[in-house]
Amino acid sequence: MSALKIFNTLSRQKETFIPIEEGKVGLYVCGMTVYDFCHIGHARVMVVFDMVTRYLKYLGYSVKYVRNITDIDDKIIARAAEAGEDFTALTQRFIDEMHQDEASLFVEKPALEPLATQSIGDILGMIKTLIEKEHAYAGDNGDVYYSVESFKNYGQLSGRQLDDMNAGERVEVDKNKRNPFDFVLWKAAKPGEPSWSSPWGEGRPGWHIECSAMSTCCLGNHFDIHGGGMDLQFPHHENEIAQSEATTGETFVNTWMHNGFVRIDNEKMSKSLGNFFTVRDVLKQYRGEEIRFFVLSSHYRSPLNYSDEQLNESRSALERLYTALRNIEPVTNDVKSDYVRCFEKAMNDDFNSAKAISVLFECANDLNKLKKTDTEQAAKTAADLLLMAQPLGLLSQNPEDYLQSTTGTNDAIANDEINRLIDERLQAKTDKNWALADQIRDQLKEQGVILEDSGKETTWRRQ
RNA sequence: GGCUGAGUGGCAGAGUGGUUAUGCAGCGGCCUGCAAAGCCGUGUACAGCGGUUCGAUUCCGCUCUCAGCCUCCA
């Protein structure tokens, strides 16, 4: 079988994945800064790396997935001040909300979720080492900076030269910095701000250092895969490499993975542009699994355009797959089918979930045919379909339950009422009162319920 | 200005140096009281201009357009 290949941002090409330790994978992903609800862009990171983890496990790897939580930074402090609450109360609230969103999207919990505020000791240790090795210096204002010129490979990840960049293009340069691209490792506290004591005075960690500290702490100085959104490539991940490699003298990460953005009207969805939809908003109208399907329906490095039409298509697509799984009891297939082979080939090609999903549809099409002709083979085909869906985190629900589940958190007609109307309609049908039967069917359709007659039975689903 | 990446049929979205992606929508048919679901059939898409080649949507060059990074951002 073909080997797993992953596009490495560092080399800008697909590379055969070889773990540092056979059979094991260490994976670190930059998680959320918890001061607000997650939006669809965050959902993409969650779902993509959940898929990566699931597929690595599917291939037999033992995966240690670490995703940090940034629970101290300027925005958190600002929000907490606005709300007049302790910043820890704010962050805890949004950590809980984030976990709820993840559950809605069928995202499995990472093995570890380290918090920046719980890692202050490791962070301080790393900054001390950087100062000793003359990669960092303290400014007169109590801040500690990393000296980008001290790290010869600075720019390797984002493929840029210090000279080529326009410092101060959009923001004023801090006079305490020796080089405009030097970045903060430790930030001095202003009066009233949350702070921790350090050799350089009261303050808090800079954003980049926490990830260096937490990743090496959880996974070692050198680990397999580091991931995150495209926008973290520079400066965040560039800085992480500089900090970690300068501290340990070892290679930091073998493979860097970056997912593309979610767009709205051809523009990046982001907090600063204010053009974002929260996961919570979208769940009012769509099932969590529909959002998940939408995310996986394009390659993780491609842009993903958000629109209701896209979500509606995801709904139709999932409906088709779940419908194929109805009325059949899957029986595990002992041999690896062609579907599964194609599926693995697609996934091995840099997690091409879009192509992998097309295999699910081919499988579903055959399953629909086999259900009428060869129940035994159909049972195996159904099992194949589920086998492939598992690493994608799809089709894990009972088909009937899924199809009858409400399509969002909005008000919907109750199951009892639906069943009552179906009974009424069955009587009408027995009486050959087609007008009444059709009227009831139309009435339910308006409320998002589709009826399907087969013989003397009527089944229903929500749409 | 520097650096990335992208431009595929009505829409979304894969892929390939010569052969059906896939889904949704459309059209025709089978099935059905009628539907729905399902099945069958159905569409000479690959930004433009050059070049390499027996042959390019696929490789190379240029042009145009779009997006992203160079502050915080997933």
Side-chain angles (χ1 to χ4, degrees), chain A residues 397-416:
Chain A
Q397 305 179 68
N398 171 285
E400 295 299 341
D401 290 349
Y402 172 83
L403 291 166
Q404 297 191 346
S405 65
T406 54
T407 56
T409 50
N410 291 329
D411 288 342
I413 182 170
N415 290 13
D416 288 353

Side-chain angles (χ1 to χ4, degrees), chain A residues 33-214:
Chain A
T33 301
V34 282
Y35 65 96
D36 207 343
F37 288 101
C38 294
H39 63 224
I40 298 297
H42 298 123
R44 190 175 193 189
V45 181
M46 292 171 171
V47 169
V48 162
F49 287 100
D50 183 56
M51 171 216 35
V52 166
T53 308
R54 283 170 181 259
Y55 188 63
L56 287 168
K57 286 178 182 168
Y58 169 94
L59 291 178
Y61 289 108
S62 158
V63 184
K64 188 172 182 186
Y65 176 25
V66 181
R67 193 187 56 207
N68 77 296
I69 295 172
T70 299
D71 62 343
I72 180 70
D73 92 321
D74 292 354
K75 283 174 183 151
I76 290 170
I77 292 170
R79 280 295 169 92
E82 269 172 42
E85 66 181 328
D86 191 81
F87 83 100
T88 53
L90 176 92
T91 54
Q92 190 53 56
R93 199 166 72 243
F94 284 112
I95 288 170
D96 294 342
E97 299 289 1
M98 175 180 80
H99 287 322
Q100 221 176 300
D101 286 339
E102 286 183 282
S104 303
L105 299 173
F106 298 87
V107 169
E108 292 177 344
K109 287 188 185 310
L112 291 171
E113 283 188 291
L115 299 167
T117 57
Q118 304 286 302
S119 314
I120 302 293
D122 295 316
I123 292 169
L124 289 175
M126 198 170 235
I127 297 175
K128 275 180 213 165
T129 305
L130 286 169
I131 291 179
E132 280 162 20
K133 293 190 170 183
E134 298 185 340
H135 285 288
Y137 58 95
D140 298 333
N141 57 353
D143 287 357
V144 178
Y145 300 100
Y146 185 96
S147 167
V148 292
E149 284 168 28
S150 75
F151 188 70
K152 65 176 188 308
N153 287 331
Y154 194 78
Q156 64 183 136
L157 181 68
S158 50
R160 57 186 84 203
Q161 307 286 320
L162 282 170
D163 297 342
D164 293 339
M165 291 191 284
N166 277 353
E169 164 101 2
R170 286 186 289 172
V171 81
E172 216 174 307
V173 174
D174 185 337
K175 292 183 202 70
N176 289 287
K177 292 179 181 177
R178 292 178 189 168
N179 180 303
F181 291 101
D182 288 354
F183 53 90
V184 177
L185 296 172
W186 188 257
K187 194 165 185 164
K190 296 188 188 94
E193 285 184 346
S195 66
W196 290 263
S197 53
S198 81
W200 317 283
E202 289 285 308
R204 62 176 183 276
W207 176 39
H208 314 296
I209 192 73
E210 64 173 72
C211 281
S212 281
M214 288 187 268

